[in-house]
């Protein structure tokens, strides 16, 4: 059979026949083609076995597979033979205790003779140190030489052995080399430092007592069995050899029966005990001095003596308006009775109802003709410092006074002259009138007076209208 010789560069569906077989190009390979398949021919005989090909190269080693499950435990081996019994040890000797009364703690001895300590015993639940020796002590020390600077000692002083400086016989004491710390579980709560400071809630401080905490109330001091008029005090002082409760300042909470007053008491000298100087009572009144306030409004009281007081009080004017009143006590008795002397109202107006002031109208003209004008038909006389009978005003206090007068001239009597006289000797201001008709001569001045200086209206010449006329007047008013 001739070899197949397929054409080069065939087109799709091209055919090629050789040796009685037709092939068709499908665009990629030649495939056997038959326009119409004939009947299946019989199977031909099996061809001879082809030669064995050569062995291929060894492939790469595969990765190790996972470890297999643990196999079952094998059976236990047979029991070994029992060893021989050892030799019996020698019998021990009995120990003896010289005395074990009260369960004494063993503190010494030698060999089989143990010594029970007669002063250190255990009687459940107490460990006792009972000793008639001088200054019995319990010590804990990290220094094997028992140096006093490092040891914690609990003990009792005697007349001959004061292991704390300043201790007296019979005193109980604790000494320590560094800071002494008190804790709850592992948390520090209180510390006494080696330089004597007590610290609560903090580990360092610069004062003898230092307290820290997160609560609003840092400390409470309570007179727990107190009643009406009882006090709780904090005393402060800085005078050597004198406790501050005797010479110093006391801060006092006083039970007044209805509530508590806060009082500050101070020593006025180093030879006097603390006396009350300031008080805020339970009603809110503030008192400075030695007196007590009773006004329903809050105010300041200044007390210079037991029965003398001056107040500054708010004045409730209603409709949320408040003024201010100033009270003084001018009485010489054993009551506390200050009265209002000056008021500043809510609008800012200042009134002084007791300011020395008088106004005498309707004075006598005939009295003027006699030398000094007197009398008074109407007007005011605050403090009664003007004497209408004598016509003299006496200044109750030093200050500047506004003063003035008016005199109606008798018609047709000629010229009238006069003055306001100080102390009946010094002219303050002059006045005059013509007298040709009814003429009103007037004068006004500001004069400085000392206490008990006097003022009066004096005639120099002429005649006044004789009746008690409204144009006959005299006044004075303290202005400062």
């Amino acid at each position: 059979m001739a070899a197949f010789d397929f054409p080069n560069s065939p087109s799709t569906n091209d055919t090629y026949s050789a040796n009685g077989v037709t092939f068709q190009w499908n665009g990629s390979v030649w495939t056997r083609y038959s326009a119409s398949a004939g009947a299946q021919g019989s199977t031909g005989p099996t061809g001879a076995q082809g030669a064995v090909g050569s062995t291929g190269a060894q492939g790469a080693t595969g990765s190790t597979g996972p470890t297999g499950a643990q196999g079952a435990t094998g059976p236990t081996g047979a029991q070994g033979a029992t060893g021989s019994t050892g030799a019996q040890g020698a019998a021990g000797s009995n120990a003896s205790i010289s005395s074990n009364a009260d369960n004494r703690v063993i503190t010494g001895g030698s060999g089989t003779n143990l010594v029970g300590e007669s002063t250190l015993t255990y009687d459940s639940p107490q460990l006792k140190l009972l000793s008639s020796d001088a200054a019995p002590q319990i010590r804990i020390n990290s220094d094997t030489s028992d140096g006093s600077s490092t040891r914690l000692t609990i003990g009792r002083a005697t007349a001959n052995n004061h292991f704390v400086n300043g201790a007296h016989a019979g005193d109980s004491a604790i000494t320590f080399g560094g800071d002494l710390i008190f804790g709850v579980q592992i948390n520090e709560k209180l510390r006494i430092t080696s330089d004597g400071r007590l610290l609560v809630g903090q580990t360092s401080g610069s004062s003898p007592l230092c307290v820290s905490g997160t609560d609003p109330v840092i400390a409470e001091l309570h007179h727990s069995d107190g009643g009406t008029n009882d006090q709780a005090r904090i005393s402060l002082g800085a005078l050597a050899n004198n406790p501050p409760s005797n010479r110093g300042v006391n801060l006092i909470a006083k039970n007044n029966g209805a509530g508590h007053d806060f009082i500050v008491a101070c020593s006025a000298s180093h030879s006097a005990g603390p006396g009350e100087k300031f008080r805020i009572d339970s009603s809110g009144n503030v008192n400075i001095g030695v007196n007590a306030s009773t006004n329903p409004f809050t105010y300041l009281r200044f007390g210079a003596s037991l029965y003398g007081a001056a107040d500054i009080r708010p004045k409730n004017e209603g409709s949320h308006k408040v003024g201010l009143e100033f009270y003084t006590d001018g009485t010489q008795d054993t009551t506390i009775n200050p009265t209002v002397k000056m008021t500043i109202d809510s609008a800012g107006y200042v009134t002084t109802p007791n300011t020395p002031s008088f106004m005498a109208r309707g004075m006598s003209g005939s009295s003027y003709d006699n030398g000094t004008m007197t009398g008074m038909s109407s007007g005011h006389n605050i403090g009664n410092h003007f004497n209408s009978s004598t016509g003299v005003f006496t200044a109750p206090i030093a200050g500047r006074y506004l003063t003035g007068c008016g005199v109606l001239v008798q018609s047709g009597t000629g010229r009238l002259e006069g003055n306001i006289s100080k102390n009946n000797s010094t002219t303050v201001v002059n006045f005059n009138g013509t007298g040709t008709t009814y003429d009103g001569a007037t004068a006004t001045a500001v004069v400085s007076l000392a206490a008990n200086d006097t003022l009066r209206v004096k005639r120099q010449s002429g005649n006044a209208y004789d009746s008690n006329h409204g144009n006959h007047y005299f006044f004075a008013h303290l202005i400062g």
Side-chain angles (χ1 to χ4, degrees):
M1 179 178 66
F4 293 104
D5 184 14
F6 295 100
N8 294 324
S9 303
S11 298
T12 303
N13 297 325
D14 284 354
T15 60
Y16 168 74
S17 300
N19 300 321
V21 181
T22 300
F23 298 88
Q24 187 178 38
W25 180 257
N26 64 6
S28 298
V29 297
W30 290 100
T31 61
R32 190 169 181 171
Y33 171 79
S34 177
S36 60
Q40 177 69 41
S42 58
T43 301
T46 300
Q49 176 69 40
V52 177
S54 60
T55 303
Q58 175 69 40
T61 304
S63 59
T64 303
T67 303
Q70 174 67 40
T73 303
T76 303
Q79 174 67 41
T82 301
S84 59
T85 301
Q88 174 69 40
S93 57
N94 294 328
S96 62
I97 300 176
S98 58
S99 175
N100 196 29
D102 297 323
N103 298 315
R104 295 180 179 180
V105 176
I106 305 303
T107 58
S110 60
T112 61
N113 184 27
L114 303 181
V115 178
E117 177 57 54
S118 62
T119 60
L120 185 60
T121 64
Y122 178 75
D123 185 2
S124 180
Q126 300 174 350
L127 179 64
K128 302 177 181 179
L129 175 61
L130 305 173
S131 176
S132 60
D133 296 339
Q137 302 171 19
I138 296 175
R139 294 182 181 177
I140 301 174
N141 206 333
S142 60
D143 182 357
T144 57
S145 64
D146 196 24
S148 61
S149 63
T150 59
R151 68 191 177 202
L152 170 65
T153 305
I154 302 173
R156 188 171 179 82
T158 69
N160 299 320
N161 190 337
H162 300 172
F163 65 92
V164 175
N165 291 333
H168 300 88
D171 288 347
S172 297
I174 300 176
T175 66
F176 46 96
D179 290 0
L180 180 61
I181 300 173
F182 298 85
V184 176
Q185 296 178 351
I186 61 172
N187 298 316
E188 178 178 337
K189 300 301 180 182
L190 183 145
R191 176 186 295 251
I192 302 175
T193 65
S194 57
D195 55 357
R197 304 183 192 281
L198 177 61
L199 312 177
V200 181
Q202 60 191 68
T203 58
S204 63
S206 57
S207 300
L209 173 62
C210 301
V211 181
S212 295
T214 57
D215 292 335
V217 179
I218 301 300
E220 291 185 358
L221 304 177
H222 185 204
H223 183 169
S224 59
D225 63 346
T228 299
N229 294 324
D230 283 337
Q231 299 179 351
R233 302 179 182 179
I234 297 176
S235 296
L236 308 172
L239 180 62
N241 302 319
N242 277 277
S245 57
N246 292 333
R247 301 290 184 268
V249 175
N250 286 336
L251 305 180
I252 303 169
K254 181 177 180 179
N255 181 341
N256 63 23
H260 278 77
D261 296 349
F262 175 67
I263 301 170
V264 178
C266 306
S267 292
S269 69
H270 288 330
S271 59
E276 179 177 338
K277 300 298 187 294
F278 175 87
R279 178 188 294 239
I280 302 175
D281 69 19
S282 58
S283 298
N285 298 317
V286 178
N287 307 304
I288 300 175
V290 296
N291 300 310
S293 301
T294 57
N295 190 279
F297 295 106
T298 300
Y299 63 86
L300 287 175
R301 168 158 288 178
F302 304 86
S305 65
L306 181 60
Y307 298 111
D311 301 343
I312 300 177
R313 304 184 185 183
K315 180 182 180 182
N316 187 349
E317 299 176 358
S319 300
H320 309 295
K321 297 179 179 180
V322 178
L324 197 61
E325 294 180 326
F326 295 81
Y327 286 66
T328 59
D329 190 349
T331 59
Q332 295 179 335
D333 54 25
T334 56
T335 62
I336 303 171
N337 188 33
T339 56
V340 63
K341 301 301 191 298
M342 183 176 76
T343 300
I344 304 175
D345 71 9
S346 59
Y349 295 114
V350 179
T351 57
T352 53
N354 292 336
T355 298
S357 177
F358 81 95
M359 174 65 179
R361 287 191 298 268
M363 300 178 74
S364 168
S366 58
S367 66
Y368 175 83
D369 293 344
N370 293 328
T372 298
M373 190 163 63
T374 64
M376 177 178 176
S377 298
S378 63
H380 68 267
N381 188 11
I382 298 174
N384 294 316
H385 305 296
F386 173 68
N387 187 328
S388 61
S389 298
T390 62
V392 175
F393 168 75
T394 302
I397 189 172
R400 292 172 296 165
Y401 289 78
L402 175 66
T403 186
C405 70
V407 179
L408 182 61
V409 182
Q410 177 68 48
S411 179
T413 60
R415 185 178 182 84
L416 178 146
E417 294 182 345
N419 64 69
I420 297 176
S421 175
K422 174 182 175 181
N423 295 329
N424 203 24
S425 61
T426 302
T427 297
V428 175
V429 60
N430 291 308
F431 57 86
N432 63 77
T434 62
T436 56
T437 59
Y438 287 108
D439 185 15
T442 62
T444 304
V446 175
V447 61
S448 180
L449 300 178
N452 297 315
D453 280 351
T454 61
L455 295 175
R456 72 194 70 199
V457 179
K458 290 184 63 176
R459 176 185 180 275
Q460 289 178 253
S461 64
N463 297 105
Y465 182 71
D466 287 342
S467 299
N468 295 338
H469 197 277
N471 280 3
H472 297 324
Y473 64 85
F474 180 29
F475 68 86
H477 183 91
L478 176 65
I479 60 176

